[in-house]
Amino acid sequence: MRVRDTNEILLQVEGVALSFGGVRALKDVSFNVRKGEIRAIIGPNGAGKTSMLNVVNGFYHPDRGTITFKGRTRDRMQPFEAARGGIARTFQNVALFKGMSALDNIMAGRTLKVRRGLLWQALRCGPALREELEHRHRVEEIIDFLEIEAIRKVPVGRLPYGLQKRVELGRALAMEPDLLLLDEPMAGMNLEEKEDMSRFIVDVNNQYGTTIALIEHDMAVVMDLSDRVAVLDHGVKIADGTPDEVKNNHAVIEAYLGVAH
Amino acid sequence: MLYREAGQFKTTYAEDMAIFPISQDRIALAVLLGIAFIGVPLLATFHIWPFGSDYLLWAILLPFLILALAAIGTNILVGYCGQISLGSGAFMAIGAYSAYKLATGVHIPLAWLGFAVSIPPLPVLASILLGGLIAAGVGILFGIPSLRIKGLYLAVATLAAQFFFDWAFLRIPWFTNYAPSGSVNAPALDFFGLIVQSPIERYLLCLLLLTLMALLAKNLVRSNLGRQWMAIRDMDIAAELIGIRPLYAKLTAFAVSSFIVGVAGALWAFVYLGSWEPLAFSIDRSLQLLFMVIIGGLGSIMGSFVGAAFILIVPIMLNLIPTELGVPLSTETITHFEFIIFGSLICYLLIKEPHGFARLISIGKEKLRLWPFPY
Ligand SMILES: Nc1ncnc2c1ncn2[C@@H]1O[C@H](COP(=O)(O)OP(=O)(O)OP(=O)(O)O)[C@@H](O)[C@H]1O
Ligand SMILES: [Mg+2]
């Protein structure tokens, strides 16, 4: 049940600036994400896309500007608060827990939903065991959905890159987020893996109504998947609109072809 | 063809989540528990070989049980949560001295306030467990810096804790009830009227506590809290972004680890040593526990047992084998050999197989599962 036609704003980023020493990664960027849509952020290397996501989920604190998520405005947030508020993400360079199995990685994504404390978990009986089983069932659904049944017990460090990306998506899904941030979910994948991943993204959006903001370099994928596209270049938003609008935008073409102004 | 999970289909997730999902492992564990709880006491009671004398119980089994417990505690902090600690010995000491104070009655004269705090002597079991809780509290306190400092720097901070407590228990006479020699005696081991005295009784007491606490520890590490610890160990940034609070995860690891190590310390003092000096819990003990955990396997409860057994048995073998061969080694030479063996083994394991013997065993099992067809 897709709700992309509502105009309700889930996330509003307003006038955000961020710099690292002398490098100004973001200069006064504003954009929004509507509830239920798939929103793409594109731009050349070093444009500030990853920095943008990091600001949204509290990993970086912006120098200026505000973030309004689900109606609450703040100028900074702690990563774990963002997680509790319903923001999940994956990373450009997979950030899995290397020593743990695929199953445990995804189970770890359930942390915020766990109710029983230390003593119950140590006893692991009655309500604690029931709760653990409930989480396991939920996680197994995700494992089925992502078609990674065969590798659930494998330590993720031993998995090929494409599967690691899938497990990482699974871990984010286990959080049952309202907003899912995906940083180049298809980087380094072959065509078939990209197709699988695209399918998962669309299905997540359709089945669970999860709002998705994704960074991607593959234009074909972006044009296919997304409802709206924002384009960053040198820390500035140079275009924003439907895939078609963006495709024909002069500033965008120049930024990508590297034509001098 | 003997060790195989073929035909053992797990039809529920509950079965899949059992401690030992493969039935051969369950049988092996049952046999081991049977030997430990029934076989050893029977043999010891009737003085049947190898229990002709109490040597095996006193010199090997008792220290093994207690140090395995301490190794489990150390492993939770170092192996599961990735916080290197050189202070395990100090936390054993805190457990031991806290239990000692509680068992002999606590008296804190607060002269300037005009009154004194007095707690009457507590029963031994309560003292031991409360000693563990006090160690947990101190563990939380010393865990706070771990939120800021990592790796080697944290190791140095825990080393400071080790030296501080070495000093405190040696120099502050209140801890030793003003014993002139600094050495203290454990109270009688009275458990609800049952006096634990003979080696086999001591063995059973430690075995019971070890089994219970190992089970609780195993439950924790395969529950959400354990996954939080490992997540912090493997990648703390990503852990935070899925909603794990580093403060909570690290401090619970310090607390649980220090509790277990503290109880082990109290047992070491009360049940094994009987009377002891602060030297019993020096930096040597911390290093020994760390070696056990590295050799046995970081992040493995089973590995803690293997490591403890290995570290205790090697020196005995070094003594025994050359003597049998007619070339007895001097104590000094044995100590040197010990260092050489442990040192090179640790170097090898840290480089080649950070999960220690436990991992080697599970690789062996994987091979065995396929045997005799190597595919
Ligand atoms: N932690 C950091 N410290 C210093 N500079 C940084 C840091 N993170 C990003 N930058 C700089 O900010 C700018 C934007 O980086 P960012 O990673 O956001 O780009 P990106 O659009 O994600 O690029 P890519 O497509 O290569 O992933 C770059 O110039 C980068 O060097
Ligand atoms: Mg990037």
Side-chain angles (χ1 to χ4, degrees):
Chain A
M1 9 123 215
R2 200 152 176 196
V3 278
R4 64 167 50 154
D5 295 329
T6 63
N7 277 328
E8 191 186 335
I9 305 278
L10 183 66
L11 173 77
Q12 174 76 50
V13 174
E14 199 59 58
V16 161
L18 175 73
S19 52
F20 301 100
V23 182
R24 294 175 66 196
L26 296 170
K27 304 166 196 164
D28 194 27
V29 177
S30 302
F31 78 102
N32 61 35
V33 180
R34 292 184 194 139
K35 199 169 161 57
E37 75 173 339
I38 297 182
R39 180 72 148 125
I41 302 172
I42 64 170
N45 287 109
K49 307 179 296 293
T50 300
S51 303
M52 191 67 248
L53 290 198
N54 284 338
V55 165
V56 170
N57 75 345
F59 189 51
Y60 291 161
H61 302 304
D63 306 330
R64 266 181 294 113
T66 58
I67 298 133
T68 309
F69 179 63
K70 288 202 223 162
R72 270 191 72 187
T73 304
R74 7 180 155 211
D75 50 10
R76 61 167 48 198
M77 179 148 50
Q78 293 306 319
F80 117 88
E81 287 173 336
R84 205 165 46 180
I87 302 178
R89 76 169 287 181
T90 65
F91 294 81
Q92 191 166 344
N93 322 301
V94 183
L96 285 170
F97 309 126
K98 289 274 187 302
M100 296 160 69
S101 68
L103 176 66
D104 278 342
N105 267 275
I106 303 176
M107 284 293 281
R110 300 293 295 172
T111 296
L112 283 170
K113 310 261 176 209
V114 173
R115 293 286 154 263
R116 299 288 162 183
L118 191 155
L119 287 179
W120 271 115
Q121 291 184 33
L123 294 173
R124 202 182 169 89
C125 59
L129 189 58
R130 263 199 305 283
E131 180 178 32
E132 177 86 359
L133 268 169
E134 278 164 28
H135 289 303
R136 178 74 191 267
H137 274 282
R138 188 72 197 79
V139 163
E140 287 292 340
E141 278 169 36
I142 293 168
I143 288 177
D144 286 349
F145 172 74
L146 294 174
E147 298 159 16
I148 46 177
E149 296 93 337
I151 54 141
R152 54 159 91 72
K153 294 285 175 70
V154 182
V156 290
R158 283 201 237 155
L159 293 176
Y161 187 71
L163 283 177
Q164 291 196 12
K165 286 237 154 197
R166 251 190 237 195
V167 175
E168 203 191 15
L169 176 62
R171 187 180 65 189
L173 290 178
M175 294 169 68
E176 297 179 20
D178 298 312
L179 175 62
L180 179 57
L181 310 173
L182 304 174
D183 196 346
E184 306 200 12
M186 289 162 235
M189 287 187 170
N190 63 33
L191 187 64
E192 201 174 334
E193 289 171 327
K194 278 187 183 178
E195 279 171 353
D196 282 340
M197 188 53 97
S198 306
R199 183 161 49 83
F200 296 139
I201 291 171
V202 172
D203 283 353
V204 167
N205 182 247
N206 274 332
Q207 286 181 22
Y208 305 111
T210 309
T211 309
I212 295 171
L214 67 94
I215 297 173
E216 187 46 60
H217 277 297
D218 187 322
M219 277 307 144
V221 169
V222 170
M223 298 301 154
D224 259 13
L225 286 184
S226 49
D227 298 300
R228 292 191 302 149
V229 183
V231 189
L232 290 181
D233 185 26
H234 291 107
V236 179
K237 187 172 88 170
I238 56 169
D240 196 346
T242 63
D244 281 332
E245 286 164 14
V246 165
K247 205 157 40 183
N248 301 319
N249 182 306
H250 270 288
V252 176
I253 295 168
E254 278 176 25
Y256 270 90
L257 297 178
V259 178
H261 292 271
Chain B
M1 286 287 265
L2 292 172
Y3 186 79
R4 190 73 44 103
E5 55 188 304
Q8 301 180 20
F9 296 109
K10 286 159 228 133
T11 47
T12 65
Y13 295 131
E15 279 172 38
D16 189 44
M17 280 158 42
I19 297 188
F20 294 105
I22 297 179
S23 75
Q24 284 89 337
D25 283 340
R26 278 199 298 275
I27 293 169
L29 180 74
V31 170
L32 208 63
L33 285 176
I35 293 174
F37 275 99
I38 301 166
V40 171
L42 275 181
L43 292 177
T45 312
F46 297 107
H47 296 286
I48 299 165
W49 188 90
F51 293 93
S53 73
D54 287 333
Y55 174 80
L56 189 59
L57 278 176
W58 266 122
I60 301 178
L61 289 180
L62 209 47
F64 164 73
L65 294 175
I66 300 173
L67 291 180
L69 184 61
I72 291 175
T74 307
N75 213 335
I76 284 184
L77 189 60
V78 181
Y80 283 94
C81 198
Q83 312 295 306
I84 300 171
S85 166
L86 292 171
S88 310
F91 286 97
M92 282 183 83
I94 294 168
Y97 282 97
S98 305
Y100 172 69
K101 287 302 286 185
L102 290 167
T104 53
V106 182
H107 184 76
I108 309 170
L110 297 170
W112 65 94
L113 290 176
F115 70 100
V117 177
S118 280
I119 306 171
L122 296 179
V124 169
L125 187 62
S127 303
I128 291 176
L129 294 179
L130 281 175
L133 278 183
I134 291 172
V138 179
I140 291 176
L141 220 61
F142 276 84
I144 292 171
S146 74
L147 300 171
R148 291 272 158 196
I149 54 179
K150 289 178 187 167
L152 202 56
Y153 298 100
L154 181 65
V156 172
T158 58
L159 192 62
Q162 174 74 48
F163 288 138
F164 171 75
F165 285 105
D166 277 357
W167 172 84
F169 293 128
L170 191 64
R171 295 289 171 220
I172 303 176
W174 181 82
F175 287 115
T176 52
N177 285 355
Y178 305 95
S181 64
S183 150
V184 293
N185 294 311
L189 300 175
D190 180 339
F191 289 87
F192 311 104
L194 210 82
I195 311 285
V196 170
Q197 185 107 53
S198 68
I200 191 66
E201 288 162 355
R202 287 165 196 263
Y203 162 89
L204 280 171
L205 169 68
C206 292
L207 179 66
L208 196 65
L209 278 173
L210 171 66
T211 312
L212 277 177
M213 291 183 67
L215 180 66
L216 295 182
K218 181 76 192 172
N219 282 347
L220 270 181
V221 300
R222 64 204 179 105
S223 293
N224 180 262
L225 194 56
R227 289 190 286 268
Q228 290 193 32
W229 294 338
M230 292 185 274
I232 288 283
R233 171 196 69 192
D234 286 352
M235 189 164 279
D236 50 355
I237 290 165
E240 223 178 321
L241 292 174
I242 60 170
I244 292 173
R245 279 170 302 166
L247 177 81
Y248 178 76
K250 285 182 183 172
L251 294 190
T252 48
F254 270 96
V256 172
S257 162
S258 309
F259 174 76
I260 298 176
V261 172
V263 168
L267 289 176
W268 189 254
F270 282 24
V271 183
Y272 179 61
L273 296 177
S275 79
W276 72 94
E277 294 165 10
L279 218 59
F281 304 103
S282 65
I283 176 75
D284 290 350
R285 183 70 61 208
S286 294
L287 289 176
Q288 190 189 35
L289 289 172
L290 204 57
F291 289 175
M292 287 178 181
V293 166
I294 294 172
I295 289 177
L298 290 164
S300 161
I301 299 288
M302 197 236 321
S304 312
F305 286 90
V306 178
F310 186 81
I311 295 267
L312 284 172
I313 286 170
V314 165
I316 292 168
M317 288 298 149
L318 280 178
N319 194 348
L320 221 62
I321 295 172
T323 313
E324 291 291 309
L325 295 177
V327 274
L329 299 175
S330 72
T331 329
E332 243 172 67
T333 324
I334 291 177
T335 317
H336 283 305
F337 267 119
E338 252 175 71
F339 279 127
I340 293 170
I341 292 178
F342 294 154
S344 41
L345 199 62
I346 284 169
C347 288
Y348 171 78
L349 286 172
L350 284 180
I351 294 165
K352 284 285 194 189
E353 190 47 76
H355 298 289
F357 281 178
R359 178 88 191 97
L360 295 178
I361 291 172
S362 67
I363 290 175
K365 279 199 209 164
E366 267 174 45
K367 295 238 167 81
L368 197 58
R369 212 174 282 180
L370 298 175
W371 186 84
F373 312 107
Y375 51 77

